[in-house]
Amino acid sequence: FIDKNVVLLHGITASGKTEIYIKLIAEQIRAGKQILYLLPEIALTSQIIERLKAVFVDIAGIYHSKFNDSERVEIWNKVFAFEKDKETGYQLILGARSAIFLPFKNLGLIIVDEEHESSFKQFDPAPRYNSRDAAIVLAQIHNAKVLLGTATPSFETYFNARSGKYGYVTLNKRHHDVALPEIIVADIADAQKRKQMKSLFTPKLYNEMQKALENKEQIILFQNRRGYSPYIQCNSCGWIPTCKHCDVSLTYHKFQNNLQCHYCGYTVQLPDSCGNCQSADVRTKGFGTEKIEDELKIFFPEAVIDRLDLDSTRKKFGHEKILDKFAEGKTQILVGTQMITKGLDFENVSVVGILDADNLLNYPDFRSHERAYQLMSQVSGRAGRKNKQGKVVIQTYQPLHPVISKVISNDFEDLFNLSIQERKFFQYPPWYRLIYITVKHKNRERAQLASHQLTTELQKTLKAKILGPEFPLLGRIQQYFQLMIRIKLDRNISFTEPKKLILEAIEKVKHFENNGSVLFSTDVDPM
């Protein structure tokens, strides 16, 4: 912090980043300053607050969306009161992204843990802010310092560190020199060909799980889909039940015995027969966390199994109960979505399984390889964190995929170098800034017309690359048809003039005939 106000702390998993945070927090407390510690996931707050409260006793408060209004008001008042009443006011706040809006009076340090996480971005409703970026602006207002900590930096942050805009500190050894986990790649296609699959598990993963349970060790299994099955399908005619409000198939949830839309919440009972040809041969396709949990109970009936996803943590202290049970060793196998990849520390986890790496690698987005590397590296870091090398089994149909090879070699630098020139050629971040404008209406033709009108107006005045309008992956959500216009702006030019021209164009199109009910939303620097 001597030369730079913003520093990237790039430390591999279990390298002791939290210990550095604690020392920096202690310095700020001695100086009488307030500290904001931002986390991407509510699930992380309980584990880290225990560590911090052990050191800083009653000076720390927690702030996130699971609190009710009266609890939030109480925290707000204690943050506001700190300058006048240091006995009862909060000096340290641990919070999710909305904590940046608390009324700090004497802010000295902001720590953004797992800075690469897309959870820091508020997508819907507006304002669509990224709390990592907003934290840097907040720190400038207070003349405070910002520490961005992660084992897998976002390309934008790493680009800023390499170009000298941010300071850069690296930790490339684990605490006490504990070895990084051994990474085993399991070829699903080969296992299926040899008829060796045990339901969802390759022989390599199954055998490692069996050994871990025999040794009284714990297991984490990662699958980035909740529910039992992504969809059901008629084997006779191919019919798939879809949401009546959104252009998306309904996800089967076995434990509730229904089909759900994960975009609008629409729910229907599981049909007994095909809605098209009335055949009774309707089957589940793919798998989510519920199905993994179900299959594990068949193969390991003696093991205590738990699940950490949005469905299992809807209650206020849902995260804490599941994670506390696992930390105490009462649960042997924890199945989860992205929630389990983010900075959790369990000393008895010896095996981590990534059940479907292809789902991460093949997502249609320019950040898919960056995200896949981050998720696989982060969840791998949960294995063998104390005094024993852990094992990670990555199940995939693409065992020779370059991203998987970078995860095995723990070579973030090489992945960055391979991707960055491609991003420059196709005009993507970090070289360019993106703005997505979404045009919505319940009438398809009206949405299409308004989006074309807006594109025409933008092309008249805006000197930038304008793509679209086009329907995104989901062309209709909650009964609204939506089209997207993508704008690419050179990062080196001033943002003031383009912002003014875009807002003027939207305002103008709003007043065109029959456009009064058309909705326009802008997302700057989408994640």
Side-chain angles (χ1 to χ4, degrees):
F1 288 131
I2 295 168
D3 300 319
K4 303 287 182 183
N5 288 326
V6 182
V7 174
L8 168 61
L9 176 60
H10 183 186
I12 62 171
T13 52
S15 57
K17 293 188 292 295
T18 307
E19 292 305 310
I20 292 173
Y21 300 158
I22 288 170
K23 284 178 181 171
L24 290 171
I25 290 167
E27 281 179 16
Q28 294 297 319
I29 287 170
R30 285 194 295 271
K33 298 279 190 177
Q34 287 180 300
I35 307 101
L36 172 60
Y37 189 137
L38 285 174
L39 290 159
E41 190 67 60
I42 297 167
L44 291 176
T45 55
S46 60
Q47 197 176 65
I48 290 183
I49 198 69
E50 290 307 313
R51 287 199 213 171
L52 295 181
K53 281 199 169 178
V55 182
F56 304 118
V57 200
D58 295 324
I59 59 170
I62 310 174
Y63 188 84
H64 56 64
S65 59
K66 288 284 171 94
F67 287 144
N68 60 41
D69 288 348
S70 60
E71 287 170 318
R72 290 196 211 192
V73 168
E74 183 184 348
I75 296 159
W76 178 280
N77 287 335
K78 284 191 174 184
V79 173
F80 187 77
F82 171 72
E83 203 168 31
K84 291 180 181 176
D85 186 359
K86 289 182 170 52
E87 293 298 316
T88 59
Y90 281 145
Q91 190 167 4
L92 168 63
I93 284 288
L94 188 73
R97 61 178 179 241
S98 58
I100 60 162
F101 298 117
L102 289 170
F104 296 100
K105 291 286 185 182
N106 192 17
L107 195 61
L109 174 67
I110 302 176
I111 295 168
V112 184
D113 200 9
E114 310 295 347
E115 68 80 26
H116 65 279
E117 277 291 342
S118 57
S119 311
F120 281 123
K121 173 78 181 195
Q122 166 74 15
F123 174 67
D124 205 36
R128 294 173 182 82
Y129 64 95
N130 187 319
S131 56
R132 176 198 64 200
D133 300 339
I136 293 169
V137 177
L138 180 66
Q140 287 172 346
I141 294 168
H142 288 269
N143 198 25
K145 306 288 187 180
V146 179
L147 184 64
L148 307 173
T150 179
T152 54
S154 65
F155 279 11
E156 287 89 337
T157 300
Y158 193 65
F159 181 81
N160 285 333
R162 287 231 310 207
S163 63
K165 185 177 179 181
Y166 296 166
Y168 181 67
V169 178
T170 181
L171 299 171
N172 49 25
K173 284 187 179 178
R174 282 184 149 193
H175 194 48
H176 294 312
D177 283 332
V178 174
L180 284 165
E182 177 191 353
I183 297 180
I184 302 161
V185 179
D187 188 340
I188 301 172
D190 183 63
Q192 287 176 337
K193 187 179 175 182
R194 296 172 188 271
K195 294 185 167 51
Q196 293 176 335
M197 290 292 289
K198 292 185 181 293
S199 181
L200 310 173
F201 314 111
T202 56
K204 288 179 180 177
L205 178 56
Y206 181 81
N207 293 337
E208 292 300 337
M209 287 196 292
Q210 210 165 31
K211 283 184 211 167
L213 292 173
E214 285 168 7
N215 295 332
K216 309 292 183 193
E217 293 165 343
Q218 290 172 299
I219 300 159
I220 287 176
L221 298 180
F222 169 63
Q223 166 65 352
N224 209 25
R225 285 183 185 274
R226 62 190 173 98
Y228 187 87
S229 172
Y231 62 99
I232 63 168
Q233 186 173 29
C234 173
N235 251 26
S236 301
C237 71
W239 171 78
I240 297 171
T242 57
C243 177
K244 70 176 185 178
H245 306 300
C246 312
D247 288 343
V248 65
S249 57
L250 295 171
T251 300
Y252 173 44
H253 287 252
K254 183 177 180 180
F255 299 122
Q256 285 110 327
N257 197 35
N258 60 25
L259 299 172
Q260 295 177 17
C261 174
H262 288 170
Y263 289 87
C264 71
Y266 173 71
T267 304
V268 292
Q269 287 299 305
L270 183 71
D272 296 321
S273 59
C274 171
N276 183 48
C277 70
Q278 281 69 56
S279 165
D281 191 10
V282 179
R283 301 185 188 181
T284 62
K285 301 288 180 178
F287 62 95
T289 48
E290 278 187 15
K291 186 169 184 178
I292 297 165
E293 184 184 10
D294 221 27
E295 295 295 304
L296 286 168
K297 287 173 182 174
I298 297 167
F299 289 108
F300 305 108
E302 303 301 315
V304 179
I305 301 154
D306 218 335
R307 178 166 47 90
L308 186 72
D309 58 24
L310 190 63
D311 300 311
S312 67
T313 56
R314 291 192 186 278
K315 290 183 180 177
K316 187 171 180 180
F317 297 107
H319 301 88
E320 286 92 332
K321 286 174 184 173
I322 293 166
L323 292 173
D324 286 349
K325 268 178 67 183
F326 193 67
E328 290 162 12
K330 294 176 183 174
T331 307
Q332 280 80 56
I333 307 176
L334 182 63
V335 182
T337 54
Q338 286 190 42
M339 291 180 183
I340 62 171
T341 69
K342 301 171 184 178
L344 296 166
D345 184 3
F346 302 106
E347 54 186 77
N348 197 36
V349 174
S350 65
V351 174
V352 166
I354 298 169
L355 272 79
D356 185 10
D358 306 292
N359 180 39
L360 306 172
L361 294 166
N362 299 324
Y363 189 77
D365 183 83
F366 74 93
R367 285 193 178 95
S368 62
H369 286 182
E370 177 189 352
R371 291 253 172 84
Y373 178 88
Q374 288 166 345
L375 281 167
M376 285 191 273
S377 293
Q378 289 284 344
V379 76
S380 298
R382 305 311 120 216
R385 292 174 64 89
K386 289 295 175 188
N387 43 29
K388 182 185 174 185
Q389 185 183 29
K391 289 189 178 178
V392 178
V393 182
I394 300 175
Q395 295 193 163
T396 176
Y397 285 96
Q398 306 170 80
L400 301 177
H401 196 286
V403 173
I404 292 176
S405 72
K406 301 303 173 212
V407 174
I408 293 168
S409 60
N410 193 38
D411 199 342
F412 174 84
E413 179 84 18
D414 202 29
L415 178 74
F416 178 83
N417 291 334
L418 283 170
S419 305
I420 201 70
Q421 291 309 316
E422 191 178 76
R423 297 251 189 121
K424 187 176 185 179
F425 182 77
F426 290 106
Q427 299 184 352
Y428 279 107
W431 303 99
Y432 283 75
R433 292 190 73 176
L434 297 181
I435 301 172
Y436 289 174
I437 304 175
T438 306
V439 182
K440 300 180 185 180
H441 198 272
K442 289 184 178 179
N443 179 280
R444 184 189 180 99
E445 287 72 28
R446 174 50 50 193
Q448 286 178 302
L449 178 60
S451 63
H452 282 285
Q453 288 170 338
L454 179 56
T455 304
T456 303
E457 290 302 317
L458 289 169
Q459 287 168 341
K460 287 178 187 175
T461 58
L462 194 63
K463 291 177 183 175
K465 189 164 188 176
I466 301 167
L467 302 174
E470 62 185 5
F471 285 102
L473 281 173
L474 293 174
R476 185 175 63 115
I477 294 178
Q478 296 179 4
Q479 296 187 332
Y480 280 90
F481 291 95
Q482 54 181 21
L483 287 99
M484 192 173 283
I485 302 163
R486 293 175 171 87
I487 300 169
K488 295 179 178 180
L489 290 169
D490 191 321
R491 187 169 285 276
N492 296 319
I493 66 168
S494 170
F495 200 57
T496 308
E497 185 65 15
K499 176 184 173 183
K500 176 173 164 283
L501 294 172
I502 290 166
L503 292 173
E504 283 175 355
I506 292 172
E507 202 57 37
K508 185 175 181 182
V509 173
K510 276 182 180 177
H511 291 91
F512 284 3
E513 189 179 358
N514 297 324
N515 278 359
S517 55
V518 177
L519 301 177
F520 298 86
S521 64
T522 56
D523 188 5
V524 180
D525 300 327
M527 292 293 282

